Every structure is written in structure tokens, then in C-alpha cells.
Amino acid sequence: FEYEKVCIANADNVEVVRKSCDNWYEVETDISRCRCKSGSQRACVTWHCEEGSLDVSSTLADASTFAYTCKAFDSIGRRCVAWEADISSAAEVGWTRCECVDGCQAEGAVWKCDEYVLPSSTSLASSAIAL
């Protein structure tokens, strides 16, 4: 659709992006599906998520998987205050770690995170072939 002389489209909607327009704004719709793999009624210790964009048929496309592990809980064992995750997709692999640094008992907590991502070996092989 068009708003104030800017065309707005979901990147996966090929029919819409065929429209001739001078200015474009691309909207990406991502979704995460997560489930607790282990833990107690108080807190999840390990959990798994799939994240990707929705294509025009609302199917999860370009999915990445995240395997999370809580590394530290608050003093009463209710909230995870430090976690690590392994990241995997067709395009990249990685690792991330986050630690709560302020306001850990409430919404809006402040987190400090480090993330390291590399192209997957299949991506590297495709790049080498293209050269």
C-alpha cells in the first residue's frame, strides 16, 4: 500500500513489490516459536526457539533455531538472569550470552549481551563457488 508517497510492502509479497514506486519501505514480519525443554514450574532451564519470517502463506521461512540455557537465576530462583544460546540456520551459526545488569525483577530490565555469528560452512562453500 502507499502512505504519504511511500510504498510499504512485506518483502515476501512479490505481487505488491512489482508496483512502480519511487520510495519504498520494506516491512519484515518475524515470528518466534519457543518451548521449554527442561525446568520446573518456577522457571525454565533450557528452551528451544525457531525464528523466521512469515511468507505470504503464513509459513515460517528462513528459520533459525536457538537452543537456550539459563546460566544463572535470581536469588529466589524465579527469573533467569544470565543465559546462553547456540544459533543455527542455513546461512549462519553463532553463540550469544546475555546477563541482566539492572532491574532484573521487573519488565524493562537492562541486559548486556555479546553475540558472535559466522557464515555456515554451506554459505562459505556457496560463496567460494560464486567466485
Side-chain angles (χ1 to χ4, degrees):
F1 69 92
E2 193 171 327
Y3 177 75
E4 293 185 5
K5 298 183 182 179
V6 175
C7 293
I8 300 172
N10 180 314
D12 299 319
N13 193 334
V14 177
E15 293 304 314
V16 172
V17 296
R18 286 186 180 151
K19 180 180 177 180
S20 177
C21 195
D22 292 333
N23 297 302
W24 282 94
Y25 181 77
E26 178 184 329
V27 177
E28 221 177 274
T29 305
D30 287 338
I31 189 169
S32 292
R33 296 181 184 146
C34 300
R35 72 175 195 264
C36 185
K37 304 275 277 183
S38 68
S40 67
Q41 290 182 349
R42 297 182 89 183
C44 196
V45 177
T46 60
W47 61 101
H48 179 269
C49 298
E50 287 184 322
E51 181 180 293
S53 57
L54 292 177
D55 64 15
V56 292
S57 63
S58 296
T59 303
L60 195 60
D62 302 322
S64 297
T65 59
F66 297 81
Y68 294 92
T69 303
C70 183
K71 296 297 185 179
F73 288 95
D74 64 9
S75 59
I76 57 174
R78 290 195 111 156
R79 292 183 185 260
C80 183
V81 294
W83 54 264
E84 293 180 0
D86 293 318
I87 305 163
S88 177
S89 73
E92 62 190 19
V93 294
W95 174 86
T96 188
R97 178 179 174 88
C98 289
E99 298 176 11
C100 186
V101 293
D102 189 36
C104 304
Q105 298 300 321
E107 288 186 33
V110 177
W111 293 80
K112 178 185 80 174
C113 299
D114 289 311
E115 185 171 282
Y116 303 92
V117 179
L118 294 170
S120 69
S121 58
T122 54
S123 280
L124 289 173
S126 297
S127 297
I129 293 169
L131 298 176

